[in-house]
Protein backbone atom coordinates (compact mmCIF):
# COMPACT_ATOMS: atom_id res chain seq x y z
CA UNK A 1 0.00 0.00 0.00
CA UNK A 2 1.35 3.41 -1.01
CA UNK A 3 2.20 5.95 1.66
CA UNK A 4 1.05 9.48 0.97
CA UNK A 5 2.78 12.51 2.45
CA UNK A 6 1.67 16.11 2.04
CA UNK A 7 3.75 19.02 3.28
CA UNK A 8 3.30 22.76 3.02
CA UNK A 9 5.04 25.87 4.24
CA UNK A 10 3.55 29.34 4.54
CA UNK A 11 5.95 32.28 4.57
CA UNK A 12 3.35 35.05 4.61
CA UNK A 13 -0.43 34.97 5.04
CA UNK A 14 -2.79 37.95 5.27
CA UNK A 15 -6.58 37.84 5.57
CA UNK A 16 -8.76 40.93 6.00
CA UNK A 17 -12.42 41.53 6.80
CA UNK A 18 -13.48 37.97 7.58
CA UNK A 19 -17.17 37.89 8.50
CA UNK A 20 -19.39 34.99 9.48
CA UNK A 21 -23.18 34.98 9.80
CA UNK A 22 -23.77 31.65 11.52
CA UNK A 23 -27.56 31.96 11.37
CA UNK A 24 -27.51 32.30 7.57
CA UNK A 25 -24.38 30.14 7.14
CA UNK A 26 -22.85 32.95 5.09
CA UNK A 27 -19.12 33.64 5.22
CA UNK A 28 -17.19 36.41 3.47
CA UNK A 29 -13.55 37.37 3.16
CA UNK A 30 -12.65 40.73 1.66
CA UNK A 31 -8.93 40.12 0.98
CA UNK A 32 -6.46 37.23 0.99
CA UNK A 33 -2.73 37.11 0.33
CA UNK A 34 -0.40 34.13 0.43
CA UNK A 35 3.26 34.73 -0.40
CA UNK A 36 6.48 32.72 -0.89
CA UNK A 37 4.89 29.45 0.21
CA UNK A 38 5.53 25.82 -0.72
CA UNK A 39 3.58 22.60 -1.27
CA UNK A 40 4.74 19.01 -1.77
CA UNK A 41 2.78 15.82 -2.47
CA UNK A 42 4.47 12.41 -2.58
CA UNK A 43 2.94 8.96 -2.90
CA UNK A 44 4.59 5.55 -3.07
CA UNK A 45 8.20 4.57 -3.53
CA UNK A 46 8.60 4.99 -7.30
CA UNK A 47 11.05 7.65 -8.40
CA UNK A 48 9.69 10.86 -9.88
CA UNK A 49 11.05 9.87 -13.32
CA UNK A 50 8.85 6.75 -13.23
CA UNK A 51 5.69 8.21 -11.66
CA UNK A 52 5.77 12.02 -11.92
CA UNK A 53 2.14 12.52 -10.87
CA UNK A 54 2.94 10.87 -7.54
CA UNK A 55 5.58 13.51 -6.79
CA UNK A 56 4.31 17.07 -7.20
CA UNK A 57 6.13 20.05 -5.75
CA UNK A 58 5.34 23.76 -6.00
CA UNK A 59 7.56 26.51 -4.70
CA UNK A 60 7.31 30.28 -4.37
CA UNK A 61 3.50 30.10 -4.35
CA UNK A 62 1.90 33.55 -4.42
CA UNK A 63 -1.86 34.11 -4.33
CA UNK A 64 -3.79 37.37 -4.03
CA UNK A 65 -7.53 37.79 -4.20
CA UNK A 66 -10.70 38.99 -2.58
CA UNK A 67 -14.47 39.06 -2.66
CA UNK A 68 -14.80 35.54 -1.31
CA UNK A 69 -18.36 34.52 -0.44
CA UNK A 70 -19.73 31.18 0.66
CA UNK A 71 -23.28 30.23 1.66
CA UNK A 72 -25.65 27.34 0.82
CA UNK A 73 -27.03 29.38 -2.13
CA UNK A 74 -24.11 31.61 -3.12
CA UNK A 75 -20.45 31.24 -3.95
CA UNK A 76 -18.00 33.82 -5.25
CA UNK A 77 -14.25 34.06 -5.55
CA UNK A 78 -11.79 36.28 -7.36
CA UNK A 79 -8.11 35.40 -7.60
CA UNK A 80 -6.43 38.41 -9.15
CA UNK A 81 -2.87 37.05 -9.05
CA UNK A 82 -1.46 33.52 -8.87
CA UNK A 83 2.06 32.36 -9.52
CA UNK A 84 4.28 29.42 -8.58
CA UNK A 85 7.31 27.43 -9.68
CA UNK A 86 7.27 23.69 -10.23
CA UNK A 87 10.92 22.55 -10.16
CA UNK A 88 10.32 19.67 -12.57
CA UNK A 89 9.01 21.91 -15.33
CA UNK A 90 6.09 24.31 -15.41
CA UNK A 91 6.39 27.83 -13.95
CA UNK A 92 3.09 29.73 -13.78
CA UNK A 93 3.70 33.47 -13.84
CA UNK A 94 0.09 34.62 -14.22
CA UNK A 95 -3.14 33.14 -12.92
CA UNK A 96 -6.57 34.75 -12.69
CA UNK A 97 -9.88 33.22 -11.61
CA UNK A 98 -13.26 34.91 -11.22
CA UNK A 99 -16.20 32.70 -10.39
CA UNK A 100 -19.73 33.10 -9.06
CA UNK A 101 -22.40 30.52 -8.38
CA UNK A 102 -25.97 30.37 -7.16
CA UNK A 103 -28.19 27.42 -6.40
CA UNK A 104 -29.07 27.28 -10.14
CA UNK A 105 -25.99 28.36 -12.11
CA UNK A 106 -22.19 28.40 -12.17
CA UNK A 107 -20.62 31.36 -13.96
CA UNK A 108 -16.88 31.19 -14.57
CA UNK A 109 -16.27 34.75 -15.70
CA UNK A 110 -12.63 34.15 -16.50
CA UNK A 111 -9.84 31.67 -16.04
CA UNK A 112 -6.38 32.68 -17.19
CA UNK A 113 -3.16 30.71 -16.75
CA UNK A 114 0.12 31.68 -18.37
CA UNK A 115 3.49 30.00 -18.04
CA UNK A 116 7.03 31.28 -18.43
CA UNK A 117 7.41 28.96 -21.42
CA UNK A 118 4.52 30.61 -23.29
CA UNK A 119 1.72 28.15 -22.59
CA UNK A 120 -1.64 29.70 -21.77
CA UNK A 121 -5.29 28.92 -21.14
CA UNK A 122 -8.08 31.50 -21.32
CA UNK A 123 -11.63 30.30 -20.69
CA UNK A 124 -15.13 31.35 -19.67
CA UNK A 125 -18.27 29.29 -19.12
CA UNK A 126 -21.82 29.33 -17.79
CA UNK A 127 -23.42 26.05 -16.72
CA UNK A 128 -26.58 25.01 -14.89
CA UNK A 129 -25.69 23.73 -11.42
CA UNK A 130 -27.53 20.46 -12.08
CA UNK A 131 -26.16 19.89 -15.58
CA UNK A 132 -26.29 16.11 -15.25
CA UNK A 133 -29.81 16.10 -13.85
CA UNK A 134 -32.53 15.26 -16.35
CA UNK A 135 -34.54 18.31 -15.26
CA UNK A 136 -31.69 20.80 -15.65
CA UNK A 137 -32.62 24.17 -17.12
CA UNK A 138 -30.56 27.22 -17.98
CA UNK A 139 -27.94 28.24 -20.49
CA UNK A 140 -24.78 26.37 -21.41
CA UNK A 141 -22.00 28.53 -22.79
CA UNK A 142 -18.27 27.97 -22.98
CA UNK A 143 -15.33 29.47 -24.81
CA UNK A 144 -11.70 28.53 -24.40
CA UNK A 145 -8.39 29.01 -26.15
CA UNK A 146 -5.15 27.29 -25.20
CA UNK A 147 -1.55 26.99 -26.31
CA UNK A 148 0.72 24.27 -24.91
CA UNK A 149 4.50 24.38 -24.98
CA UNK A 150 6.02 20.92 -24.65
CA UNK A 151 8.44 22.10 -21.94
CA UNK A 152 5.48 22.60 -19.59
CA UNK A 153 4.60 18.91 -19.86
CA UNK A 154 7.96 17.46 -18.90
CA UNK A 155 7.25 17.65 -15.18
CA UNK A 156 4.16 15.46 -15.63
CA UNK A 157 5.49 12.66 -17.85
CA UNK A 158 7.98 9.83 -17.38
CA UNK A 159 11.59 10.06 -18.49
CA UNK A 160 10.83 7.95 -21.58
CA UNK A 161 7.83 10.11 -22.49
CA UNK A 162 9.94 13.25 -22.07
CA UNK A 163 12.46 11.86 -24.55
CA UNK A 164 9.64 11.35 -27.05
CA UNK A 165 8.54 14.96 -26.55
CA UNK A 166 12.02 16.08 -27.56
CA UNK A 167 11.26 15.06 -31.15
CA UNK A 168 8.28 17.44 -31.33
CA UNK A 169 8.26 21.23 -31.80
CA UNK A 170 8.14 23.45 -28.73
CA UNK A 171 4.68 24.68 -29.78
CA UNK A 172 2.96 21.38 -29.16
CA UNK A 173 -0.73 22.25 -29.37
CA UNK A 174 -3.12 25.11 -30.11
CA UNK A 175 -6.78 24.57 -29.26
CA UNK A 176 -10.02 26.52 -29.13
CA UNK A 177 -13.67 25.74 -28.51
CA UNK A 178 -16.94 27.68 -28.66
CA UNK A 179 -20.24 26.11 -27.64
CA UNK A 180 -23.61 27.33 -26.42
CA UNK A 181 -27.18 26.22 -25.95
CA UNK A 182 -28.95 24.22 -23.27
CA UNK A 183 -29.22 20.67 -22.03
CA UNK A 184 -31.91 20.05 -24.64
CA UNK A 185 -29.52 21.04 -27.44
CA UNK A 186 -25.92 22.24 -27.20
CA UNK A 187 -24.42 23.70 -30.36
CA UNK A 188 -20.70 23.19 -30.93
CA UNK A 189 -19.97 26.27 -32.96
CA UNK A 190 -16.33 25.44 -33.48
CA UNK A 191 -13.57 23.21 -32.13
CA UNK A 192 -10.07 23.65 -33.50
CA UNK A 193 -6.99 21.58 -32.66
CA UNK A 194 -3.65 22.32 -34.27
CA UNK A 195 -0.42 20.40 -33.77
CA UNK A 196 2.10 22.48 -35.73
CA UNK A 197 3.66 20.66 -38.70
CA UNK A 198 1.57 17.55 -37.94
CA UNK A 199 -2.21 18.03 -37.95
CA UNK A 200 -5.10 20.48 -37.99
CA UNK A 201 -8.60 19.36 -37.01
CA UNK A 202 -11.84 21.37 -37.04
CA UNK A 203 -15.21 20.21 -35.79
CA UNK A 204 -18.72 21.53 -35.27
CA UNK A 205 -22.12 20.06 -34.58
CA UNK A 206 -24.64 19.58 -31.81
CA UNK A 207 -25.53 17.15 -29.04
CA UNK A 208 -28.13 16.68 -26.33
CA UNK A 209 -28.11 14.89 -22.99
CA UNK A 210 -30.41 11.87 -23.00
CA UNK A 211 -29.88 10.95 -19.35
CA UNK A 212 -27.25 11.23 -16.62
CA UNK A 213 -24.81 8.92 -18.38
CA UNK A 214 -25.51 9.33 -22.08
CA UNK A 215 -25.61 12.00 -24.74
CA UNK A 216 -26.21 11.82 -28.47
CA UNK A 217 -25.68 14.18 -31.38
CA UNK A 218 -23.99 14.87 -34.68
CA UNK A 219 -20.46 16.19 -34.96
CA UNK A 220 -18.70 16.96 -38.26
CA UNK A 221 -14.92 16.76 -38.55
CA UNK A 222 -12.49 17.96 -41.16
CA UNK A 223 -8.77 18.36 -41.07
CA UNK A 224 -5.33 17.70 -42.51
CA UNK A 225 -2.47 15.52 -41.38
CA UNK A 226 1.10 16.27 -42.45
CA UNK A 227 4.00 13.83 -42.48
CA UNK A 228 6.54 15.66 -40.31
CA UNK A 229 9.18 12.93 -40.50
Amino acid sequence: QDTVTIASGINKFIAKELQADLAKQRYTLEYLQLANSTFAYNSGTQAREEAPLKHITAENINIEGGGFIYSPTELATKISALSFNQPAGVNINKGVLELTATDTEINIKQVILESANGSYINATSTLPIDLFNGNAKGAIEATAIAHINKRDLKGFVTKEQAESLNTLPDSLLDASIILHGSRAKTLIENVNLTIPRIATINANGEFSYMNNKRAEGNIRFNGTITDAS
Side-chain angles (χ1 to χ4, degrees):
Q1 183 177 0
D2 285 350
T3 299
V4 176
T5 61
I6 297 175
S8 62
I10 297 175
N11 183 271
K12 180 181 180 181
F13 177 79
I14 298 174
K16 296 181 180 180
E17 298 294 330
L18 173 62
Q19 299 183 18
D21 187 329
L22 299 181
K24 295 181 179 180
Q25 297 182 320
R26 190 175 192 271
Y27 309 91
T28 63
L29 178 63
E30 187 65 28
Y31 177 81
L32 171 71
Q33 182 183 25
L34 184 71
N36 301 323
S37 300
T38 61
F39 173 84
Y41 166 87
N42 292 283
S43 175
T45 58
Q46 289 176 288
R48 196 209 67 78
E49 292 79 6
E50 299 173 345
L53 296 182
K54 291 187 175 184
H55 303 278
I56 298 174
T57 300
E59 300 175 347
N60 196 27
I61 302 170
N62 297 283
I63 301 173
E64 188 170 2
F68 302 103
I69 301 172
Y70 172 79
S71 78
T73 59
E74 183 183 15
L75 175 68
T77 186
K78 184 174 182 179
I79 303 296
S80 56
L82 165 70
S83 63
F84 64 85
N85 301 328
Q86 202 252 343
V90 63
N91 295 322
I92 297 298
N93 54 20
K94 179 180 180 179
V96 175
L97 169 64
E98 186 172 0
L99 177 152
T100 61
T102 66
D103 54 353
T104 61
E105 181 181 84
I106 300 173
N107 184 1
I108 302 174
K109 296 181 178 181
Q110 65 173 339
V111 174
I112 299 173
L113 283 176
E114 297 180 1
S115 82
N117 290 322
S119 297
Y120 63 82
I121 297 172
N122 192 326
T124 66
S125 69
T126 299
L127 301 169
I129 200 77
D130 52 356
L131 176 62
F132 298 105
N133 184 314
N135 298 318
K137 293 179 171 41
I140 295 175
E141 296 183 9
T143 63
I145 58 173
H147 171 77
I148 306 299
N149 185 299
K150 72 178 184 183
R151 287 176 288 176
D152 286 325
L153 299 180
K154 290 188 175 181
F156 303 99
V157 299
T158 65
K159 183 178 179 180
E160 291 77 12
Q161 292 168 334
E163 291 174 353
S164 298
L165 283 175
N166 288 335
T167 65
L168 299 173
D170 280 355
S171 296
L172 186 61
L173 175 68
D174 288 289
S176 64
I177 182 171
I178 302 173
L179 60 85
H180 53 85
S182 66
R183 184 184 170 89
K185 181 181 287 188
T186 301
L187 300 177
I188 304 172
E189 187 173 318
N190 181 259
V191 175
N192 177 271
L193 298 174
T194 301
I195 304 174
R197 304 206 316 252
I198 296 177
T200 298
I201 299 171
N202 291 285
N204 58 62
E206 62 184 45
F207 66 92
S208 59
Y209 296 92
M210 302 304 295
N211 55 43
N212 292 355
K213 297 182 179 179
R214 183 167 151 255
E216 68 175 21
N218 297 299
I219 301 176
R220 296 170 289 276
F221 293 92
N222 63 73
T224 59
I225 298 177
T226 302
D227 184 357
S229 60

